[in-house]
Amino acid sequence: KAGVTQTPRYLIKTRGQQVTLSCSPISGHRSVSWYQQTPGQGLQFLFEYFSETQRNKGNFPGRFSGRQFSNSRSEMNVSTLELGDSALYLCASSLASEAFFGQGTRLTVV
Amino acid sequence: AQKITQTQPGMFVQEKEAVTLDCTYDTSDPSYGLFWYKQPSSGEMIFLIYQGSYDQQNATEGRYSLNFQKARKSANLVISASQLGDSAMYFCAMREGVIQGAQKLVFGQGTRLTINP
């Protein structure tokens, strides 16, 4: 059974640009959640989607958005990138109690 | 508000010894779940073990066990017979509520575990 797949693995963008990250959950999982990991702030919850609906949202500015498709794949978008958005972005998928993460997308903003 | 505290920034352990990583949590919700993850330098978060607040028995998964003390609000991870490959960051996390598939996790700051040969 394939795990959670995140693409791309690495990304370098310039300040002011926008970026889209993708997450394909484990087959059959309907919940996808996103997290940002930085050395200073640790792991912080961004948002969660379930059956194409945003169910929870963390305390991030509106530049951070996401969506989920009917096949449960999810994308997150960050517009007007800032240097502080440089981070490891992790997504997790869940069917019941447990949550399984992908390998993450490491975003560097220059 | 829910909170997770990991008081050990770093730990050094001899190979084959058992190790306990501490985690305390704070929540007012009677329904919650507790997780432990391992994060090697590659960045992937590897699921280790899960404990629900209503589970009567401590969770175990191979060499990993979770020492769940509800009254003390602690959920320590015990790794038996440590191996060199156990060297990594370890995160404790909590989810409030038991909505099926709901995953809004709050993480601790992590413990960097180093296994010495």
Side-chain angles (χ1 to χ4, degrees), chain A residues 9 31 33 35 37 41-43 45 48 50 55-56 88 90 94-103, chain B residues 35 37 39 41-47 50 61 89 91 95 99-109:
Chain A
R9 291 289 311 281
S31 167
S33 51
Y35 297 82
Q37 186 178 24
Q41 299 297 318
L43 281 146
F45 171 78
E48 183 211 3
F50 183 85
R55 188 156 60 177
N56 278 299
L88 179 66
L90 292 157
S94 175
L95 176 64
S97 302
E98 299 163 356
F100 299 94
F101 283 80
Q103 292 183 300
Chain B
F35 302 75
Y37 290 91
Q39 188 177 45
S41 55
S42 62
E44 182 181 7
M45 293 287 280
I46 301 168
F47 169 79
Y50 168 82
E61 291 283 352
M89 280 291 286
F91 290 96
R95 178 198 67 227
I99 297 174
Q100 191 80 353
Q103 297 301 347
K104 177 184 175 182
L105 300 182
V106 172
F107 285 84
Q109 288 301 105

Side-chain angles (χ1 to χ4, degrees), chain A residues 29-90:
Chain A
H29 289 196
R30 294 163 66 188
S31 167
V32 174
S33 51
W34 289 88
Y35 297 82
Q36 181 197 64
Q37 186 178 24
T38 60
Q41 299 297 318
L43 281 146
Q44 294 184 287
F45 171 78
L46 281 157
F47 29 65
E48 183 211 3
Y49 287 87
F50 183 85
S51 293
E52 303 179 65
T53 301
Q54 187 180 86
R55 188 156 60 177
N56 278 299
K57 190 177 191 307
N59 189 25
F60 278 81
R63 300 185 297 106
F64 291 81
S65 63
R67 58 178 176 169
Q68 186 179 34
F69 301 95
S70 58
N71 62 358
S72 293
R73 189 177 73 85
S74 177
E75 289 181 347
M76 68 163 280
N77 184 77
V78 188
S79 62
T80 319
L81 283 165
E82 300 176 359
L83 296 179
D85 297 333
S86 295
L88 179 66
Y89 290 88
L90 292 157

Side-chain angles (χ1 to χ4, degrees), chain B residues 8 23 30 45 57 59 65-66 69-70 78 104 116:
Chain B
Q8 306 153 310
C23 172
M45 293 287 280
Q57 307 251 355
S65 61
L66 199 152
Q69 298 188 42
K70 199 169 183 176
V78 180
K104 177 184 175 182
N116 295 316

Side-chain angles (χ1 to χ4, degrees), chain B residues 20 32 34 36 44 51 56 65 72-73 78 106 113 115:
Chain B
T20 298
Y32 52 89
L34 296 157
W36 276 94
E44 182 181 7
Q51 178 89 39
Q56 296 296 314
S65 61
R72 298 179 61 183
K73 292 191 174 180
V78 180
V106 172
L113 176 64
I115 308 297

